[in-house]
Amino acid sequence: MTNEIKVALSVLLAAVVLFAGVRFLSGQPLFGGGYDVVAVFDDAQGLTSGAIVRLNGVRVGEVREVDLSPDARRVLVTMAINGDVEIPRGSTVQTSGISALGEVNVEISPPQGATAGRPLAGGDTLVAVSTPDLFDLISGESNSLTARADTALIGAVNTFTTLDRILTNSGGDIEGVLAQLRFLSQAATTLVTQERGRIDRTLASLEAAAANASSVSDRVGRDVLDLSTVVGNDVVATSGVVRGLAEANADSVTAAVNNLSSALRRADEQLAALTVLTADLGTITTDLDSTLNSPAGTLGLLLNDPSLYYNANAAAATLQQILQDLQADPSRYLKELDGVVRVF
């Protein structure tokens, strides 16, 4: 094999490797299988050949050619789409990126839901959706910002003009107010300077009072602690004494408790006897009441027969008469008893 043939084969192999490397690095299939789709733009916005074509953010091809339409009113962008990618009909296409930086790409967005049709084929056309460039957006915003800034400046100018007019019309009023403020500030400074010694003494007194209060609180705390200790010791000693007394007089306390129990039992028995006596007294009272109320009984006759009452009164009157005679002339009755007295 001659050297010329070897050089030709080397050049051919290098070209094949270069072609394959370019297609591999650009994300295209190594051995074709793709198809071309034409997008119609109103403004290419700096789009050039070799720009990336994305579908839902995924690279699916590249821009092959960017040409003007025959009437020079549109831009025809030929896109080489990978053969394994299907773009549904009804998809929209637009540019993305910043033209000033030379990074303008193509973005394809498929339709949503049931509006998607069959996939695009080679030679089909998509109408692009115009999107403003970033600098156009900034320019538009800058216009609105300029208008707002202009309005703010006009308002500031009007405010300052009004303030200047007020200051001009006020004349010496403002100067008088400032003079009074200056006089008051000087008087306050003089007062503070004159009373500085008294203020210092007052602050010193307050500090001394605070120190005294702190020392008093410390002493009170120590006294309370000592008092609590003494009271605790007294309580312990008292509890010991009480315990000792209880232990020493345990027998006496037990006997007293037993005597108290016996007394309570006797009181209980006496209460039972009293209950029986009360019942008997109730029975006697009932019988007496029935006897008194009975006209056939002796007591009933005494209470119910008035003749017996009158006879008893007459007997009492006679007895009283005899007693009066005895008191008046006792010898009369002693004579009658003379024989009786001698016998005894």
Side-chain angles (χ1 to χ4, degrees):
M1 181 180 297
T2 62
N3 292 331
E4 291 79 2
I5 296 175
K6 291 180 180 180
V7 172
L9 291 176
S10 299
V11 172
L12 180 60
L13 181 61
V16 171
V17 171
L18 179 61
F19 177 78
V22 171
R23 294 186 66 87
F24 176 77
L25 293 176
S26 62
Q28 299 180 11
L30 297 179
F31 303 100
Y35 58 95
D36 293 340
V37 175
V38 178
V40 181
F41 288 88
D42 292 334
D43 187 353
Q45 298 184 358
L47 189 63
T48 59
S49 300
I52 299 173
V53 178
R54 295 188 179 92
L55 176 64
N56 284 341
V58 179
R59 181 171 180 170
V60 296
E62 67 177 6
V63 175
R64 187 185 302 276
E65 295 178 358
V66 179
D67 298 319
L68 287 173
S69 63
D71 57 0
R73 295 182 178 179
R74 299 291 180 90
V75 179
L76 303 179
V77 178
T78 303
M79 300 177 295
I81 308 299
N82 299 336
D84 56 347
V85 177
E86 294 183 351
I87 300 176
R89 293 183 182 276
S91 299
T92 58
V93 60
Q94 61 185 0
T95 57
S96 64
I98 303 175
S99 59
L101 301 178
E103 296 181 357
V104 181
N105 300 313
V106 178
E107 293 287 343
I108 300 176
S109 300
Q112 301 294 327
T115 58
R118 60 183 180 83
L120 295 175
D124 288 340
T125 301
L126 290 174
V127 178
V129 178
S130 61
T131 55
D133 187 65
L134 178 61
F135 288 99
D136 294 337
L137 294 174
I138 294 175
S139 177
E141 291 294 331
S142 65
N143 293 332
S144 61
L145 289 174
T146 302
R148 290 197 294 270
D150 187 33
T151 303
L153 289 175
I154 293 173
V157 170
N158 293 332
T159 302
F160 284 117
T161 303
T162 304
L163 180 60
D164 183 66
R165 185 172 61 255
I166 292 173
L167 293 176
T168 302
N169 295 331
S170 61
D173 294 341
I174 295 179
E175 293 180 357
V177 172
L178 293 176
Q180 291 179 359
L181 290 176
R182 187 180 300 108
F183 173 75
L184 291 175
S185 63
Q186 291 177 355
T189 303
T190 304
L191 179 62
V192 170
T193 303
Q194 293 175 353
E195 298 295 332
R196 179 177 297 173
R198 184 177 299 176
I199 293 173
D200 293 338
R201 289 193 298 273
T202 303
L203 292 176
S205 300
L206 290 176
E207 291 178 356
N212 293 330
S214 178
S215 61
V216 169
S217 64
D218 293 337
R219 288 198 300 272
V220 170
R222 289 194 297 270
D223 293 340
V224 170
L225 180 61
D226 296 338
L227 180 61
S228 63
T229 303
V230 172
V231 171
N233 295 331
D234 292 341
V235 170
V236 172
T238 303
S239 62
V241 172
V242 172
R243 188 182 300 107
L245 291 175
E247 292 176 354
N249 298 320
D251 296 336
S252 299
V253 173
T254 303
V257 171
N258 293 331
N259 294 332
L260 181 61
S261 299
S262 301
L264 290 175
R265 285 196 298 271
R266 289 194 299 271
D268 191 14
E269 293 173 357
Q270 291 176 1
L271 287 175
L274 180 61
T275 302
V276 174
L277 179 61
T278 304
D280 294 340
L281 183 60
T283 302
I284 292 171
T285 304
T286 303
D287 294 339
L288 180 62
D289 183 62
S290 62
T291 302
L292 292 175
N293 293 327
S294 177
T298 302
L299 293 177
L301 292 174
L302 289 174
L303 294 175
N304 296 320
D305 191 356
S307 60
L308 294 177
Y309 172 75
Y310 294 138
N311 293 332
N313 285 335
T318 303
L319 181 59
Q320 185 176 5
Q321 183 74 34
I322 293 172
L323 290 175
Q324 290 177 357
D325 292 340
L326 179 61
Q327 291 177 354
D329 190 9
S331 60
R332 173 185 173 185
Y333 293 95
L334 291 175
K335 291 178 180 180
E336 297 294 333
L337 296 175
D338 186 25
V340 177
V341 173
R342 289 177 180 176
V343 173
F344 290 99

